[in-house]
Amino acid sequence: MTRSLTDGFGRVHRDLRISVTDRCNLRCDYCMPEDGLTWLPRSELLTFEEVERVAGILVDRLGIRSIRLTGGEPTLRAGLPDLVARLARLDVDLSLTTNGTTLDRLAAPLVAAGLRRVNVSLDTLRRDRFEDITRRDDLDRVLAGIDAALAVGLDPVKLNAVVMRGVNDDEVVDLARFGRERGVAVRFIEFMPLDASGRWDRDAVVSQDEIVAAVDAAFPLEPPRRGSAPATVWRYRDGRGEVGVVPSVTRAFCDDCDRVRLTAEGAFRTCLFATSETDLRSLLRGGASDEVVAEAVVRSVDAKEAGHLIGQPAFIRPRRSMSQIGG
Ligand code: SAM
Ligand code: SF4
């Protein structure tokens, strides 16, 4: 029987983010330190069988309806199409967030395995700036990856762009234009304090209001619509698609949050900013039944905090960086 994954505040959780690796081939300044992190040994990663089992329990018993694969860079996990094929058999909306560098090679096998849509992260269209932000000269590969995703029919292809003051805030309109021209919806993301180097600062956050004002001045927008997704979405008045903002810092969407997370090594988290997590891998490898795994998840969600406290004195940075949690 399916129960719903409801927390102590009555919020029902239907969206599961699964990180399939902590590794990455880029080193985005806002996500990972320049030297990278110590990668988990393979034995510590959940196997595909384990991921499939946890996902099955959450879908069949606890009402999860959408699954997004993330990382680290999920496409670096060997055999990713095999995992996609396993998860595509579940009755869920399955998607992937990727830096796009490998999509020219992997878009076709991922679609063949059952992937339908994809989010590609891209914060700049300038080659020198791409290299400054990611510490790799890979802009052309990402652009080729976006083209490949469109060519194989992934739909929608969305673009995620983290906006940082003094870094890429002068490119908001260029990125919006790129999205309109390519037929990809851009989601601007407010910069969150999850950078591994701990250099986040409130002044570096470009607010949703600033982002929308810039886009609206160039390409007039209709009034916003707010769905269950964390992004607030605006349609362009001329009908050429839509643009969204994820206002994680200036308008925390914690009251409407329906997301839970599984890290690459099998830690279940109820929030990006959670300071505690539940070790499902030990349960799986210790022979626990599906019932016991489900109960551990239910207990964890029941204890979910009301919301994050970014910008307030009581805020505690999580021990993990974004790349280790899975954005
Ligand atoms: N490597 C993949 C990618 O870049 O899309 C998936 C993992 S990445 C951690 C997922 C998303 O988190 C990306 O869109 C990235 O831009 C975003 N992200 C990373 N660090 C962030 C931060 N400090 N604030 C806001 N978004 C961040
Ligand atoms: Fe890698 Fe994605 Fe983090 Fe960039 S944002 S370092 S691509 S995990």
Side-chain angles (χ1 to χ4, degrees):
M1 197 188 71
T2 307
R3 298 154 65 180
S4 68
L5 208 43
T6 307
D7 68 12
F9 300 91
R11 295 172 293 198
V12 180
H13 296 75
R14 296 201 174 86
D15 183 37
L16 171 64
R17 307 261 147 149
I18 302 177
S19 172
V20 296
T21 180
D22 59 329
R23 286 172 195 250
C24 193
N25 52 345
L26 303 185
R27 298 281 182 279
C28 303
D29 191 38
Y30 52 78
C31 180
M32 223 191 251
E34 184 161 7
D35 298 335
L37 295 152
T38 308
W39 308 134
L40 291 166
R42 200 186 161 88
S43 59
E44 292 200 15
L45 299 180
L46 291 190
T47 63
F48 287 172
E49 288 72 19
E50 289 169 334
V51 173
E52 185 183 8
R53 181 168 169 217
V54 174
I57 293 170
L58 269 80
V59 171
D60 295 341
R61 294 177 177 247
L62 300 174
I64 287 294
R65 287 287 156 260
S66 56
I67 294 181
R68 177 173 291 277
L69 298 177
T70 177
E73 174 46 39
T75 62
L76 296 190
R77 180 78 188 253
L80 185 68
D82 175 22
L83 180 64
V84 166
R86 290 166 184 260
L87 299 179
R89 290 197 286 265
L90 300 171
D91 181 21
V92 287
D93 174 16
L94 181 63
S95 56
L96 172 77
T97 300
T98 170
N99 63 29
T101 52
T102 60
L103 275 184
D104 53 346
R105 189 168 43 85
L106 280 176
L110 287 169
V111 167
L115 189 71
R116 296 287 165 261
R117 57 205 202 85
V118 72
N119 282 37
V120 180
S121 302
L122 179 62
D123 311 310
T124 176
L125 297 166
R126 301 186 195 174
R127 190 166 169 186
D128 55 337
R129 190 174 276 177
F130 184 96
E131 192 168 352
D132 285 346
I133 295 174
T134 69
R135 303 180 180 111
R136 298 287 185 273
D137 182 15
D138 274 342
L139 175 62
D140 290 345
R141 290 176 66 195
V142 178
L143 296 176
I146 293 171
D147 287 343
L150 291 166
V152 297
L154 283 164
D155 185 20
V157 176
K158 291 186 183 170
L159 206 137
N160 290 358
V162 180
V163 188
M164 294 156 284
R165 196 173 310 285
V167 176
N168 63 345
D169 50 336
D170 56 347
E171 274 192 85
V172 165
V173 170
D174 290 346
L175 286 161
R177 180 181 298 108
F178 175 85
R180 285 164 53 86
E181 288 171 356
R182 299 288 179 107
V184 303
V186 180
R187 295 278 180 268
F188 292 106
I189 304 173
E190 288 181 352
F191 179 28
M192 292 185 279
L194 285 161
D195 51 323
S197 48
R199 273 188 276 137
W200 182 88
D201 157 355
R202 185 69 175 73
D203 294 338
V205 178
V206 181
S207 70
Q208 167 170 290
D209 290 350
E210 292 173 85
I211 295 168
V212 172
V215 176
D216 187 47
F219 309 115
L221 298 166
E222 290 180 359
R225 118 180 108 71
R226 180 81 190 264
S228 62
T232 312
V233 176
W234 289 257
R235 295 198 62 76
Y236 292 111
R237 283 191 192 274
D238 64 7
R240 289 189 68 182
E242 61 173 45
V243 63
V245 182
V246 184
S248 338
V249 177
T250 63
R251 287 182 207 171
F253 37 82
C254 304
D255 290 349
D256 300 322
C257 177
D258 72 343
R259 240 173 232 182
V260 290
R261 295 167 189 278
L262 184 67
T263 69
E265 75 267 51
F268 180 80
R269 298 176 64 88
T270 55
C271 177
L272 273 177
F273 298 96
T275 48
S276 64
E277 42 191 42
T278 300
D279 175 11
L280 295 187
R281 189 183 65 199
S282 298
L283 290 178
L284 299 170
R285 296 189 182 173
S289 65
D290 288 0
E291 181 75 42
V292 167
V293 174
E295 277 313 317
V297 168
V298 166
R299 273 199 305 279
S300 171
V301 171
D302 186 52
K304 180 168 176 167
E305 315 249 328
H308 70 63
L309 299 169
I310 297 176
Q312 297 177 40
F315 177 69
I316 304 171
R317 283 181 72 98
R319 198 167 42 82
R320 296 168 181 272
S321 71
M322 186 69 135
S323 64
Q324 295 166 310
I325 299 171

